[in-house]
């Protein structure tokens, strides 16, 4: 009886684990929605890209990753029956720019010139950063696959540029971008793509989030698309290299003629939402500056500068204090900024 009881308990335990296993293997949420005219927004869980259909082919933005790109390619072939002719990168981050090789048979790839330096083979022999040193159990100055934890473990192959099954300091500094297809055309300030009577203009956003950040402007559709810099009712994850860089970028975006504010994460919205995103940063900066002028410490400013008008924004409760700390450090000249995330 004791044996039977143990078997029953073990089976119950296994049955209880099934839902968790299924949850871990749950396929990504994907879909395509029409924005306006022939402009569409495609979803891969909490990542989004956009594409514009023309009689001569498609202009699309970030490929996101290989698996999603394969799915989207099949959907486009079935629904629209024209090839993708251009892939326009918003920036180089692995979670937006990976997987472009799926489109390499038909598309030209365009990104800001700074993408090339960021994606170049890792140079030199810099030491591992602090988080890498913690993983380096055998103290050989490298992170081996068995030692890797966190993001490095999850994206080991994307860090391992030379595929030698170890990650060096140079590879960690380069980042997990080994599946980002190089742009075949680059630009400096602005670049306009025309296809099938439609136009899309890429505009450099300066250094906000990344020094190759671009916004895509669809003038006929009165829409813009920006990944990580523009957010709709959502605070940015970080403010690197400074809040000023973000204010400059969002000021530029808001100067464009558009109605549809399309983002690389979460909600899409309108120009009013884009203006609110800029206003948040301006109110944040003014509030921190006022606190410093009044002789307040960082802790006091974080406690009193509540920015209540933005309380309904996603991440208000998790990033407000980090944003205050970043602006405080910038205004005091102690460091460029801090990050509460990457998206």
């Amino acid at each position: 009886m004791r044996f039977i009881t143990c078997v029953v308990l073990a089976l119950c335990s296994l049955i209880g684990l099934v839902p968790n296993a299924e949850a871990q293997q749950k396929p990504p949420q994907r879909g395509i929605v029409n924005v306006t005219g022939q402009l569409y927004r495609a979803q891969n869980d909490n990542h989004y890209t956009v594409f514009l259909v023309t009689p001569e082919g498609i202009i699309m933005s970030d490929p996101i990753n290989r698996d999603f790109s394969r799915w989207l390619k099949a959907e486009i072939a079935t629904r629209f029956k024209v090839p993708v002719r251009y892939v326009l990168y918003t920036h180089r981050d692995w979670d937006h720019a990976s997987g472009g090789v799926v489109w390499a048979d038909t598309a030209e790839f365009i990104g800001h010139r700074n993408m090339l330096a960021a994606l170049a083979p890792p140079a030199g022999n810099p030491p591992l950063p602090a988080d890498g040193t913690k993983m380096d159990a055998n103290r050989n100055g490298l992170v081996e696959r068995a030692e890797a934890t966190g993001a490095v473990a999850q994206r080991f192959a994307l860090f391992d540029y030379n595929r030698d099954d170890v990650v060096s300091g140079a590879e960690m500094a380069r980042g997990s971008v080994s599946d980002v297809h190089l742009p075949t055309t680059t630009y400096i300030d602005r670049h306009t793509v025309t296809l099938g009577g439609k136009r899309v203009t890429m505009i450099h956003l300066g250094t906000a989030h990344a020094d190759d950040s671009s916004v895509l402007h669809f003038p006929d559709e009165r829409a813009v698309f920006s990944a990580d810099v523009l957010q709709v009712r959502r605070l940015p994850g970080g403010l690197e290299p400074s809040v000023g860089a973000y204010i400059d970028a969002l000021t530029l975006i808001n100067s464009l003629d558009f109605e549809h504010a399309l983002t690389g994460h979460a909600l899409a919205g309108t120009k009013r939402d884009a203006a609110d995103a800029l206003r948040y940063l301006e109110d944040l900066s003014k509030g921190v500056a006022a606190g410093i002028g009044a002789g307040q410490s960082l802790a006091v400013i974080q406690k009193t500068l509540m920015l209540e008008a933005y309380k309904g924004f996603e991440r208000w409760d998790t990033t407000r204090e980090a944003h205050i700390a970043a602006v405080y450090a910038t205004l005091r000249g102690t460091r460029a900024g801090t990050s509460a995330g990457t998206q």
Side-chain angles (χ1 to χ4, degrees), residues 8 44 47 67 92 120 179 202 239 279 310 322 330:
V8 170
N44 185 69
H47 287 78
D67 189 54
R92 64 181 177 266
D179 199 32
M202 305 179 71
L239 294 176
R279 191 174 301 113
Y310 310 96
T330 297

Side-chain angles (χ1 to χ4, degrees), residues 53-241:
V53 181
T54 83
E56 296 178 12
I58 288 174
I59 305 170
M60 69 169 280
S61 188
D62 298 328
I64 299 179
N65 62 50
R66 285 202 193 202
D67 189 54
F68 169 75
S69 285
R70 292 189 187 105
W71 172 85
L72 183 59
K73 191 170 188 176
E75 292 292 315
I76 286 176
T78 300
R79 299 189 192 194
F80 305 105
K81 300 180 176 20
V82 290
V84 169
R85 294 300 186 192
Y86 292 96
V87 173
L88 312 182
Y89 287 122
T90 61
H91 64 302
R92 64 181 177 266
D93 280 2
W94 70 273
D95 60 327
H96 295 277
S98 294
V101 68
V102 171
W103 310 96
D105 57 335
T106 62
E108 177 181 345
F109 294 76
I110 305 177
H112 188 267
R113 185 173 62 178
N114 289 342
M115 280 191 75
L116 295 179
L119 298 176
N125 188 31
L128 290 169
D131 53 344
T133 300
K134 291 178 182 178
M135 299 179 217
D136 182 19
N138 63 7
R139 297 294 183 265
N140 67 348
L142 302 167
V143 176
E144 297 163 13
R145 189 180 291 270
E147 297 173 325
T149 59
V152 177
Q154 294 168 11
R155 306 193 297 271
F156 194 91
L158 299 183
F159 280 97
D160 185 12
Y161 174 82
N162 60 5
R163 300 181 183 179
D164 62 354
D165 222 33
V166 295
V167 173
S168 67
E171 288 172 327
M172 285 196 72
R174 179 175 178 265
S176 52
V177 292
S178 289
D179 199 32
V180 177
H181 192 75
L182 284 172
T184 50
T185 299
T186 61
Y187 80 100
I188 298 176
D189 297 316
R190 290 181 180 235
H191 181 82
T192 298
V193 170
T194 59
L195 183 70
K198 291 291 186 178
R199 298 169 295 151
V200 183
T201 298
M202 305 179 71
I203 307 168
H204 186 219
L205 291 176
T207 59
H209 185 70
D211 65 2
D212 58 354
S213 290
S214 300
V215 61
L216 276 55
H217 183 216
F218 301 82
D220 298 331
E221 291 71 28
R222 300 193 68 237
V224 295
F225 175 66
S226 166
D228 292 343
V229 175
L230 176 63
Q231 308 278 352
V232 168
R233 297 191 62 79
R234 184 177 193 250
L235 302 188
L239 294 176
E240 277 125 356

Side-chain angles (χ1 to χ4, degrees), residues 297-310:
S297 67
L298 171 59
V300 170
I301 298 173
Q302 288 174 318
K303 185 177 180 180
T304 58
L305 182 58
M306 301 305 294
L307 299 163
E308 291 280 355
Y310 310 96

Side-chain angles (χ1 to χ4, degrees), residues 237-287:
L239 294 176
E240 277 125 356
S242 70
V243 68
Y246 267 78
I247 289 175
D248 289 345
L250 285 170
T251 298
L252 189 157
I253 291 174
N254 276 278
S255 72
L256 301 173
D257 178 27
F258 68 95
E259 176 58 27
H260 304 281
L262 308 176
T263 66
H265 294 282
L267 297 175
T270 66
K271 189 163 189 175
R272 181 175 180 177
D273 294 306
D276 287 343
L278 173 59
R279 191 174 301 113
Y280 163 75
L281 296 175
E282 292 172 338
D283 290 347
L284 168 69
S285 299
K286 291 175 184 176

